[in-house]
Amino acid sequence: MSGSTSAVLLAIEPAGRIAREIDDLWRFMLILSIPAFLLFLLPLLVALRRRGAVEDGDQRASTDQSRALSPLWLYGGGVALPALVVISVLGATLLTMRSTGEDAPDGALTVDVIGNQWWWEVRYPDAGVVTANEIRIPTGRPVQLRLRSADVIHSFWVPALAGKMDLLPEKTNTMVIEADEPGRYQGQCAEFCGLQHANMGIEVVAEDPAEFEAWVRRQARPAAEPVGSSAREGRSVFAAACASCHTVRGTDAAGRSGPDLTHLASRRRIAAGTLALTTSALTEWVTSPHDVKRGVSMPDPDLSEDEIAAVVAYLEGLR
Ligand code: CUA
């Protein structure tokens, strides 16, 4: 799994400490449940066989039946054994809950994640970095996520790194994620949140600490100046048509209702994972977001083909 993309949402391939402890708990419960299930199944099968024998008129079987109701069976199989199983599972669960808890260990990085219909805002409060739909983290370091929602309830779920946690409108929830190896870990909103719930993907990109620090420095910079006449024209079109919803740091565009686009071109996908970031995808999206993702808040902008090409050229320069 190291260094690769977990393309499928698989909780049984943990890629960090938190996910591994949850996975260990699940395996413990699985292994415990197999003998427990067989132990409970056995008397049931014996009873069913005897009942069949009684119905066949075998008198010897009915005397065996009364012998089977010994206190050992009743208290052992009916009280002690279930209690042992339940207490073991409870104990293991409490231990796992304590070690995978919401509190950040020392040295943790703090990242704010805000759920929106249907995308994720990602903020690094210490570095002043804002991005969307992609959370960069350094490997080997716990990261505390502070999760909340701008609208309805969403749920953060990156199964290779941790369990699920809800994003609520009126309360901030926290959780800790951690990745051992560099890689891309896929996630998905796990709480139905409207029409495009299924297209609310998120990706955690884990990098070596030095690479991560370099990424933070690049992201903290203001937007790149447009290069070329088309991109320059695109900036003017963007300022008139898009700036009331989107921020591009270093320009007058300071809207807050849509994703921050300061370094859009450094991301791999747009529209919360719906499209890979290519010229044609950007053109499709800017022309008619509703054809790509019906119900999104972004209105279809009333722009000519030339204006759209110019905006796309501008966006592609936002590295
Ligand atoms: Cu957000 Cu489902």
Side-chain angles (χ1 to χ4, degrees):
M1 163 79 246
S2 61
S4 67
T5 297
S6 67
V8 279
L9 300 170
L10 213 52
I12 54 172
E13 279 183 10
R17 182 184 65 85
I18 307 283
R20 204 159 34 242
E21 291 194 21
I22 296 170
D23 186 62
D24 288 346
L25 175 65
W26 178 79
R27 279 168 207 277
F28 169 73
M29 286 163 73
L30 177 74
I31 288 165
L32 186 68
S33 70
I34 293 169
F37 178 67
L38 292 177
L39 263 171
F40 285 104
L41 198 64
L42 197 70
L44 178 70
L45 289 176
V46 170
L48 285 173
R49 269 195 58 176
R50 288 189 181 175
R51 192 174 154 194
V54 171
E55 279 167 2
D56 290 343
D58 186 338
Q59 289 305 309
R60 195 164 44 86
S62 71
T63 46
D64 281 357
Q65 202 171 30
S66 57
R67 206 193 314 145
L69 290 172
S70 73
L72 184 68
W73 273 103
L74 273 178
Y75 295 114
V79 179
L81 200 58
L84 192 69
V85 171
V86 170
I87 289 168
S88 309
V89 170
L90 178 71
T93 305
L94 291 175
L95 284 176
T96 306
M97 281 171 73
R98 203 171 63 172
S99 60
T100 61
E102 303 161 6
D103 295 328
D106 287 342
L109 173 76
T110 300
V111 180
D112 290 320
V113 179
I114 301 121
N116 291 263
Q117 285 175 311
W118 294 277
W119 60 281
W120 310 82
E121 185 173 48
V122 181
R123 307 179 78 92
Y124 296 75
D126 298 333
V129 166
V130 185
T131 180
N133 304 320
E134 199 181 273
I135 305 177
R136 296 262 176 158
I137 62 169
T139 53
R141 180 174 167 194
V143 178
Q144 178 158 59
L145 302 181
R146 297 192 297 205
L147 306 161
R148 63 193 157 86
S149 170
D151 37 53
V152 301
I153 299 174
H154 304 272
S155 175
F156 181 90
W157 187 44
V158 179
L161 301 182
K164 291 175 186 167
M165 182 62 80
D166 275 2
L167 294 87
L168 308 173
E170 282 160 10
K171 179 181 183 291
T172 299
N173 281 336
T174 56
M175 74 187 293
V176 179
I177 62 171
E178 208 175 315
D180 297 334
E181 302 283 340
R184 292 179 174 272
Y185 305 102
Q186 303 297 313
Q188 168 65 36
C189 177
E191 178 82 42
F192 180 72
C193 55
L195 205 55
Q196 295 293 341
H197 156 69
N199 286 323
M200 191 168 165
I202 188 152
E203 191 172 68
V204 174
V205 183
E207 296 179 316
D208 290 330
E211 261 179 74
F212 170 76
E213 290 302 331
W215 176 84
V216 168
R217 281 195 298 276
R218 286 196 303 275
Q219 295 283 317
R221 287 190 205 133
E225 283 295 308
V227 177
S229 59
S230 181
R232 276 196 295 275
E233 191 204 326
R235 179 167 60 180
S236 315
V237 178
F238 186 92
C242 318
S244 57
C245 296
H246 292 285
T247 291
V248 176
R249 275 174 281 129
T251 74
D252 290 338
R256 286 291 307 275
S257 53
D260 184 304
L261 302 178
T262 308
H263 297 286
L264 172 73
S266 70
R267 298 172 204 158
R268 210 164 65 114
R269 304 186 74 83
I270 57 168
T274 311
L275 298 171
L277 197 156
T278 61
T279 307
S280 63
L282 270 176
T283 306
E284 195 185 345
W285 178 258
V286 174
T287 307
S288 181
H290 286 253
D291 286 345
V292 181
K293 223 168 154 175
R294 198 151 57 89
V296 287
S297 306
M298 177 169 162
D300 287 0
D302 190 16
L303 298 174
S304 71
E305 265 182 44
D306 287 349
E307 287 172 322
I308 285 168
V311 167
V312 169
Y314 173 57
L315 294 175
E316 286 187 309
L318 297 177
R319 308 220 145 260

